[in-house]
Amino acid sequence: MKQLQDVDLKLLRVFMTIVKCGGFSAAQAALNLSQSSISEQMTNLETRLGVTLCERGRGGFRLTEHGMATYEATQRLLMAVDTFCMDTSALKQHISGKLYLGIIDNTISDADSPLARALRQFVARGHDVHLDVYIGTPAELEERVLDGRLHIAVGHFPLRVAGLSYIQLYQEQDGLFCSRYSPLFKTSDTETQLFNHIATSHIVARGYLQQQDLKQLRVSKAAATVDNIEAQAMLILSGAYIGFLPIHYATRWVEAGDMRQIDPARFCSHWPFTAITRRGIPQPTVLRAFMADLLPLVESTPVL
């Protein structure tokens, strides 16, 4: 494809829909096209690009290596097109387009998070903005902000990555939890006894906070590693593992008698939650408008 044309953008949008739906048949309703028409458009796109994007047939739908690379490149391209449309619409004092927002999983129950209030104010202003939300791990969110697939992401990011700006929003409080099936559920150990029990327990640690989790528990390795809070809670509820959870997230099981927080005074952490954006590029109008609603809700917003 030597030069991008309008027809290429249309074909790429069809391709994106097919991938999101998981195949040609599933995409028919979303595109309002017949399967033969979708197949013809995909063939045209592959001819324009000179590569095979996907395998389809009895074995099902699967992206090729070129297809995956094209899918990621198309995400960046369409986001750039949306940003252009938003910036030009702002010249008419009207904000429209898409806001690509990333969020770490299971923060919905955190009353300290300003995100819900910011979104409520942002939407109430009547902007013609479509919100595209992605839930991911800290590493995934950082990667997507860096390569332009997200405008902004909110979460806990233990490491500082070059090319990103970090704005502190609030803190999330964590505690150590066990299930009612755990031997630790009904104990009132001394400090020495408690750490002896922990040393013989199966520890589940969050991959992005593993060293911090293990350091607090004075153990050298975890018996299980997860990359999201729901998986952490599932293993703790099984009774086979103990581990850290956000207190706001664990409350439902504590109140139901299915979990217990172990020694809250000793095992309590506060993790900073930040908003990350890409450093060194002009912020699109839609992001500036959203930040104008988000930042006033935060007591302190230093750029880290």
Side-chain angles (χ1 to χ4, degrees), residues 46-232:
E46 289 176 329
T47 301
R48 291 278 297 160
L49 293 172
V51 296
T52 300
L53 298 176
C54 60
E55 297 175 359
R56 55 266 201 191
R58 293 182 179 179
F61 176 84
R62 187 181 72 85
L63 286 178
T64 64
E65 184 177 348
H66 289 302
M68 182 59 69
T70 302
Y71 176 71
E72 293 176 355
T74 302
Q75 284 183 304
R76 294 191 292 268
L77 170 64
L78 296 182
M79 185 174 175
V81 171
D82 290 335
T83 298
F84 171 81
C85 294
M86 287 184 287
D87 287 345
T88 53
S89 71
L91 299 175
K92 301 179 292 183
Q93 301 301 312
H94 175 68
I95 297 176
S96 64
K98 284 188 176 182
L99 174 64
Y100 293 87
L101 169 66
I103 310 172
I104 198 171
D105 72 304
N106 291 305
T107 58
I108 190 171
S109 54
D110 195 344
D112 291 330
S113 172
L115 197 54
R117 288 171 288 157
L119 287 169
R120 182 167 60 249
Q121 291 183 17
F122 181 71
V123 172
R125 297 188 188 281
H127 302 312
D128 183 20
V129 173
H130 178 90
L131 189 64
D132 193 310
V133 179
Y134 177 82
I135 305 293
T137 65
E140 290 171 338
L141 296 178
E142 288 170 330
E143 179 184 353
R144 286 174 175 261
V145 172
L146 275 173
D147 68 18
R149 285 179 286 169
L150 291 175
H151 288 128
I152 181 174
V154 175
H156 175 56
F157 305 101
L159 303 177
R160 290 295 179 261
V161 176
L164 294 177
S165 292
Y166 295 77
I167 303 175
Q168 185 168 319
L169 300 180
Y170 66 101
Q171 291 191 332
E172 181 182 71
Q173 187 176 8
D174 279 10
L176 179 64
F177 291 88
C178 68
S179 153
R180 62 189 177 95
Y181 301 111
S182 168
L184 286 168
F185 190 74
K186 294 182 179 180
T187 62
S188 54
D189 295 333
T190 65
E191 178 181 351
T192 300
Q193 291 172 328
L194 176 59
F195 279 106
N196 287 338
H197 272 125
I198 290 172
T200 59
S201 298
H202 290 90
I203 309 298
V204 54
R206 298 159 290 186
Y208 54 94
L209 283 173
Q210 180 159 323
Q211 294 307 313
Q212 291 93 325
D213 286 354
L214 298 180
K215 184 177 180 180
Q216 287 190 72
L217 298 177
R218 302 180 188 175
V219 296
S220 59
K221 64 179 181 179
T225 305
V226 299
D227 65 3
N228 63 72
I229 294 300
E230 184 173 354
Q232 181 95 339

